[in-house]
Amino acid sequence: MRHAARCRPCWNWPAARANCTHARAWQVGLTILVGDGEDRAARIESALKAYGEVADSAEVTWARWFLAHTLCGTGDVSEGAALTGQALGGFRELGDRWGEAAALSDRAAQRLLAGDLAGAEEDAARSVELFGAAGDTYGQLWSVYPRSAVAAIHGDYARSSALQRDALETVQEFGLATHEADLLSGLGRNALLTGDFAAARTYHERARRSAVDIGFRAGEINAVLGLGLGARREGLFDESEIHLRTVLAWHRDVGLDGANALILAELGFIAEARGDASAAWGLQQEGYATARSTGDPRAVALAVEGLAAALALSGAGEPAAVLLGAAAATRAATGAPLPPAERGDVDRATAQAWELLEREAFETAFRRGEELGPHEAVGVAVASGRTSSTRVGS
């Protein structure tokens, strides 16, 4: 019997079973980080359910945080919001300031996606403070993205770039290659928004090479997206479409469908630039449905602007103006109207709708859109498209 007892599987021992549970949670998180999005939610739920037999609240809290953090790392930050909230509460109960700082940095990114810019900035600042008190320079890097993004959204590209350059010096000093690729892409986006297309291309190409060298596919895709955004703004529509469709396919492969709201809007603008109102309308409709699924009001506003541009191209000025009003009101509600550097697509759609209507009619339709809100305004536009004789309704 003594020998039989020695041969019992290790998972019958409480400590060993706990270790297996922790290892399973980390394995799930690591596979998500490398881009395995298949049945992601079910795998996370299963990994956490196993903790029902483990009494250590600290280990459960860490597992929740890590699994939510991996979703931030792959770009699907909204999916992990509930887990981050639970982990944050757990860390505070445990008095774990480092864990609190880590959870706050993730919640800052989640709030950014939800359109809560003030909340994102508040969480990021507190995270930086806590990591600073712990002497953790690396941890402070996690809040660079939400802080620089909020600055860029408000049109403060100088501050956004300064945050990224400071962080880039740190990551290069410590050899943090994945962070380097993402920061280079961030600098590329700001260069793009300030109209320096050559610098934007250089930054994004550097980011892509850096990511490819270390097998960081998510970073590579981020850089390819930047190249696609830049190519469209340079009028290189074929090149842009190739890049954007590469990103679109990868997002679908790894389960990041919500991230395709931007990609579909960009593809719709390309179709519009080619004069194909029907294709533009179809892409923007798909983008709008995707944007709604994210819960991000800024993504919804972009999709509504894309629909407006497609309608204006087709000659449907009044519903286009309604949509433009709804999009403007949606952006204003987040505290971040479009800055001048990002108004190109909206200004083009506005000019086309203005030409189709008398001034008073445009302003009346625009105000109606502001009052309706985005979802009701899209309903009006879709109904108009169905009864229209233009290509949009075909």
Side-chain angles (χ1 to χ4, degrees):
M1 291 296 292
R2 289 197 303 270
H3 294 295
R6 291 175 186 168
C7 293
R8 284 184 296 181
C10 69
W11 52 81
N12 285 333
W13 303 352
R17 293 176 68 189
N19 287 337
C20 289
T21 300
H22 308 329
R24 181 183 180 190
W26 284 78
Q27 180 188 37
V28 169
L30 290 171
T31 58
I32 291 171
L33 276 175
V34 297
D36 182 2
E38 186 175 356
D39 296 327
R40 180 175 53 213
R43 285 187 287 138
I44 290 174
E45 182 180 0
S46 177
L48 290 173
K49 188 176 181 180
Y51 278 94
E53 301 174 5
V54 178
D56 191 333
S57 61
E59 293 292 353
V60 178
T61 296
W62 275 104
R64 286 171 175 156
W65 169 76
F66 178 64
L67 290 168
H69 183 71
T70 63
L71 295 172
C72 288
T74 57
D76 198 359
V77 295
S78 62
E79 191 174 323
L83 287 178
T84 298
Q86 292 170 355
L88 180 59
F91 285 131
R92 285 173 170 165
E93 287 180 9
L94 293 165
D96 186 335
R97 295 303 189 194
W98 194 98
E100 182 181 353
L104 282 170
S105 70
D106 289 342
R107 195 173 72 171
Q110 292 158 357
R111 284 183 160 181
L112 173 67
L113 180 64
D116 182 2
L117 304 184
E121 200 155 25
E122 178 183 345
D123 280 350
R126 178 59 176 159
S127 175
V128 169
E129 180 184 348
L130 289 172
F131 275 131
D136 190 343
T137 303
Y138 172 72
Q140 290 179 313
L141 294 172
W142 291 348
S143 292
V144 170
Y145 163 65
R147 293 170 69 206
S148 63
V150 169
I153 289 168
H154 287 300
D156 192 349
Y157 306 117
R159 179 172 182 267
S160 178
S161 294
L163 287 165
Q164 291 168 341
R165 287 194 185 94
D166 288 346
L168 185 60
E169 290 182 7
T170 301
V171 302
Q172 289 174 336
E173 178 183 351
F174 288 105
L176 304 172
T178 57
H179 286 284
E180 179 178 1
D182 283 339
L183 287 166
L184 286 169
S185 286
L187 288 166
R189 298 293 201 281
N190 283 338
L192 187 61
L193 291 169
T194 56
D196 191 343
F197 298 140
R201 184 177 288 271
T202 298
Y203 276 125
H204 285 124
E205 287 288 8
R206 284 178 60 193
R208 178 163 65 172
R209 289 194 300 270
S210 177
V212 168
D213 286 346
I214 59 171
F216 179 31
R217 183 60 170 160
E220 179 187 354
I221 289 295
N222 189 23
V224 170
L225 170 57
L227 290 169
L229 296 174
R232 180 174 78 85
R233 284 149 184 80
E234 291 185 80
L236 304 173
F237 302 128
D238 291 345
E239 177 188 336
S240 179
E241 183 172 9
I242 290 170
H243 289 317
L244 292 171
R245 290 200 177 277
T246 297
V247 177
L248 185 79
W250 187 81
H251 282 165
R252 287 172 172 165
D253 286 344
V254 301
L256 295 179
D257 295 321
N260 277 333
L262 170 62
I263 313 307
L264 291 163
E266 288 287 320
L267 289 169
F269 288 133
I270 289 174
E272 178 203 343
R274 290 170 172 161
D276 191 341
S278 180
W281 176 252
L283 286 162
Q284 299 293 3
Q285 277 192 304
E286 186 180 357
Y288 172 71
T290 303
R292 285 197 68 178
S293 73
T294 69
D296 180 359
R298 294 177 60 251
V300 170
L302 175 62
V304 172
E305 290 158 358
L307 289 168
L311 284 172
L313 175 64
S314 75
E318 183 175 349
V322 169
L323 290 177
L324 288 168
T330 301
R331 289 192 182 277
T334 69
L338 269 178
E342 299 182 53
R343 289 195 57 86
D345 296 315
V346 171
D347 287 346
R348 183 182 64 255
T350 299
Q352 289 177 322
W354 190 279
E355 289 180 3
L356 294 165
L357 301 171
E358 296 291 337
R359 175 176 178 175
E360 184 177 350
F362 177 91
E363 291 178 347
T364 298
F366 189 93
R367 285 194 300 271
R368 184 186 179 200
E370 289 179 312
E371 295 168 357
L372 285 174
H375 310 315
E376 292 82 0
V378 169
V380 169
V382 169
S384 174
R386 285 173 179 164
T387 58
S388 173
S389 60
T390 67
R391 288 189 297 161
V392 165
S394 62

